[in-house]
Amino acid sequence: MSYDRFYDYESLSELLRSWAEDAPGLAELSSIGRSWEGRDIWLMTLTNTATGPHSDKPGFLVEANIHAAEITGSFAALHLIHRLLSGYGQDERVTRLLDTRTLYVVPRLNPDGVEKVLGECRYVRSSVRPHPQPGRKPGLHGCDVDGDGRVLFMRVPDPDGPWKAHPDEPRLLVRREPDEEGGLYYRIFLEGRSRATTA
């Protein structure tokens, strides 16, 4: 891995493929989807498959380069992958980590934006996708459902919900503790209407 230049999409793809080919029992490269301009968004799954499949182990997700100009985040993710693959069998902590855990690393979530930054040598914050998009897309659209002149949030009881009523002011919701059980919990949804997907 070289630190003397920024990797464009082709160089990044070639590097990730070479690592996956060199360590087939520890690294698996896959695409989690395509960008607006059709580039693969790469995911490197890191674990020792000899000790079990990745889906049976506790996992940790690393996403980098969400904003186009934050290319150093991509290098940090690449360094993590390189450190784990080169340290396996040499470093006791790295070996134990990959034997018992799975790391999912997306080194560049925004490949289109990075190509624009590198190609034009200028600041681009986000993606090249046009915003706002023309027309209403499928999904939830906020609107005044009950006619009271306001678009609010709805609380819906759910035993797995992340919210609970504040003990002193039940109209307010506060976060449920991660290990908390046995109370009345809620999910929150924006007041609105759902527009179905059209063919």
Side-chain angles (χ1 to χ4, degrees), residues 33-49:
R34 293 262 184 178
S35 68
W36 179 258
E37 293 182 341
R39 295 178 178 90
D40 282 303
I41 299 171
W42 296 119
L43 166 69
M44 186 71 89
T45 302
L46 299 160
T47 194
N48 179 9
T49 56

Side-chain angles (χ1 to χ4, degrees), residues 6-39:
F6 289 123
Y7 286 97
D8 63 12
Y9 174 75
E10 292 303 326
S11 300
L12 176 83
S13 300
E14 182 180 335
L15 179 65
L16 293 172
R17 286 190 194 102
S18 70
W19 284 344
E21 289 169 6
D22 290 345
L26 298 176
E28 179 186 346
L29 183 64
S30 59
S31 175
I32 59 171
R34 293 262 184 178
S35 68
W36 179 258
E37 293 182 341
R39 295 178 178 90

Side-chain angles (χ1 to χ4, degrees), residues 16-104:
L16 293 172
R17 286 190 194 102
S18 70
W19 284 344
E21 289 169 6
D22 290 345
L26 298 176
E28 179 186 346
L29 183 64
S30 59
S31 175
I32 59 171
R34 293 262 184 178
S35 68
W36 179 258
E37 293 182 341
R39 295 178 178 90
D40 282 303
I41 299 171
W42 296 119
L43 166 69
M44 186 71 89
T45 302
L46 299 160
T47 194
N48 179 9
T49 56
T51 61
H54 69 89
S55 56
D56 288 353
K57 300 174 183 177
F60 185 77
L61 172 67
V62 175
E63 289 180 350
N65 219 163
I66 297 169
H67 296 130
E70 296 173 357
I71 308 172
T72 52
S74 182
F75 266 83
L78 291 172
H79 176 72
L80 173 64
I81 296 169
H82 183 258
R83 173 73 180 88
L84 294 176
L85 294 178
S86 62
Y88 186 83
Q90 310 296 321
D91 182 309
E92 186 272 330
R93 293 178 72 193
V94 169
T95 303
R96 182 163 34 93
L97 176 70
L98 292 183
D99 283 348
T100 62
R101 304 289 189 270
T102 301
L103 280 84
Y104 302 97

Side-chain angles (χ1 to χ4, degrees), residues 106-138:
V106 181
R108 185 163 293 165
L109 199 58
N110 185 356
D112 298 345
V114 174
E115 292 303 292
K116 195 163 190 71
V117 168
L118 294 177
E120 299 179 8
C121 296
R122 67 180 182 88
Y123 177 78
V124 178
R125 182 181 188 278
S126 195
S127 177
V128 298
R129 180 185 304 230
H131 182 78
Q133 295 183 9
R136 289 172 65 87
K137 300 297 180 187

